[in-house]
Amino acid sequence: MLTDELLKLPGSYQGPTRVLEAPYGVIGVGGGALAAALMGTLLGGRLTRSGTQIVLESSDAALAARDYAGLSEVSGAAVVRAGIQKPGASLQGIDFLSPAGVTATYHLAQFAAYATGHAEQAQEAERLIGRLAAQCDPSIEDDNPARMLAWTLWSRTPLLLAAPEDTALLQVWQHLLARVGKVLSIPVDLEPLYVLTGMFEAHHETGDAKVALILGDETPELSVAREILETRIDEVVAVPFPEDVGGYAGSLALWYFGAWVSAYLAERHNVSAEDTPAMQGVLNALSEGEGAGESGLEA
């Protein structure tokens, strides 16, 4: 079960911790996209022409991963590829393999954090995740923050908001709520005030059964967004960084908290938190056909 995996996750990274040559680029495709998005808090660029290019990938996106690796090598960067375990998938060119499933995001992100010289942030993330594991344990019925938030979201559609520097959290939570919780959520990204001041005006009833989640720090702009939404939807809920620790450590910890919330939300809806047969079928088909397709990048 996913909850068992989440309980065991803190401190489970067993990959390399050696620092690679700077400068760095980290790009993610397929199952590596969320980990790469979280790394955006540590690095300024996705691609580099020198130093080390890290490619985080899964077998369903192997063509795109090889293309990015090839472009980086031509540019002069050393390429390191980290993938996700899948029986029968090619391991050619893969330097690190993460366990499969939702928790691959944690392993791939920690791999990239250590490789780019951010061991302190990686270890701080472990500390925060460990604290959350104790708070979100399924044995805790009362005062379990993940269960409480899942109950708040039950039968409602979440609107996701975050500060511009934390927009990776929008992608992360939308992904978790869909893949694990099996629910629709709506991220409001670019210039949210332009969207929020108009999106309910033509049909006020569409604000019913909506709840807004402010992920990470609540900036002055997001406080204005809160004021607007409190008159238009059911509820606005702050989901702050654990212990007010932002950056990479706080973002990975919020990913972990989002995984717990989504698992409990699936439980509330009496559906499985595991990957759907549709997702498994699509990923298997893409993985099996990756060797026969055309290049994923235009020349």
Side-chain angles (χ1 to χ4, degrees), residues 2-186:
L2 177 59
T3 52
D4 294 332
E5 292 182 44
L6 292 174
L7 272 179
K8 298 174 183 176
L9 196 65
S12 64
Y13 174 72
Q14 298 297 316
T17 58
R18 180 172 63 90
V19 179
L20 303 177
E21 182 183 352
Y24 308 105
V26 177
I27 193 164
V29 291
L34 294 186
L38 292 171
M39 283 296 298
T41 60
L42 293 176
L43 302 174
R46 300 168 68 221
L47 298 171
T48 182
R49 293 175 178 270
S50 59
T52 304
Q53 177 66 55
I54 298 173
V55 181
L56 309 177
E57 62 185 272
S58 53
S59 58
D60 56 283
L63 280 174
R66 286 200 295 268
D67 281 338
Y68 281 121
L71 288 175
S72 297
E73 288 175 342
V74 169
S75 299
V79 175
V80 174
R81 292 170 59 190
I84 298 172
Q85 292 177 0
K86 181 176 178 58
S90 172
L91 301 180
Q92 183 177 1
I94 302 296
D95 299 280
F96 168 70
L97 272 179
S98 158
V102 172
T103 59
T105 296
Y106 156 85
H107 294 280
L108 293 177
Q110 291 291 72
F111 167 81
Y114 278 110
T116 56
H118 295 95
E120 184 175 343
Q121 290 90 333
Q123 291 159 11
E124 177 69 349
E126 294 285 8
R127 185 186 69 81
L128 294 173
I129 289 171
R131 293 286 298 274
L132 283 170
Q135 297 168 11
C136 300
D137 189 312
S139 66
I140 301 175
E141 292 291 337
D142 299 324
D143 296 324
N144 182 323
R147 282 190 186 275
M148 293 166 63
L149 184 54
W151 179 254
T152 298
L153 298 180
W154 184 62
S155 297
R156 289 165 153 181
T157 301
L159 306 177
L160 307 177
L161 302 166
E165 61 271 22
D166 298 323
T167 53
L169 296 174
L170 302 180
Q171 179 185 359
V172 165
W173 274 63
Q174 183 186 37
H175 180 109
L176 289 168
L177 289 168
R179 182 176 180 179
V180 179
K182 307 302 187 289
V183 298
L184 166 71
S185 60
I186 302 171

Side-chain angles (χ1 to χ4, degrees), residues 239-290:
V239 186
F241 288 118
E243 301 181 22
D244 292 325
V245 176
Y248 170 78
S251 296
L252 188 60
L254 264 193
W255 162 84
Y256 182 69
F257 182 63
W260 275 113
V261 172
S262 300
Y264 286 132
L265 191 56
E267 179 183 79
R268 291 284 184 194
H269 286 103
N270 197 30
V271 296
S272 172
E274 306 303 321
D275 289 341
T276 63
M279 179 177 174
Q280 293 173 6
V282 167
L283 295 185
N284 286 337
L286 290 172
S287 298
E288 291 167 1
E290 61 89 14

Side-chain angles (χ1 to χ4, degrees), residues 156-230:
R156 289 165 153 181
T157 301
L159 306 177
L160 307 177
L161 302 166
E165 61 271 22
D166 298 323
T167 53
L169 296 174
L170 302 180
Q171 179 185 359
V172 165
W173 274 63
Q174 183 186 37
H175 180 109
L176 289 168
L177 289 168
R179 182 176 180 179
V180 179
K182 307 302 187 289
V183 298
L184 166 71
S185 60
I186 302 171
V188 185
D189 186 359
L190 185 64
E191 298 296 343
L193 295 181
Y194 284 84
V195 178
L196 299 176
T197 50
M199 67 188 298
F200 299 111
E201 296 308 296
H203 300 284
H204 288 243
E205 66 276 9
T206 58
D208 296 340
K210 300 290 190 303
V211 56
L213 301 181
I214 297 178
L215 304 171
D217 291 332
E218 184 170 331
T219 62
E221 182 183 21
L222 291 177
S223 294
V224 174
R226 173 191 287 277
E227 292 180 20
I228 294 167
L229 288 171
E230 284 176 340

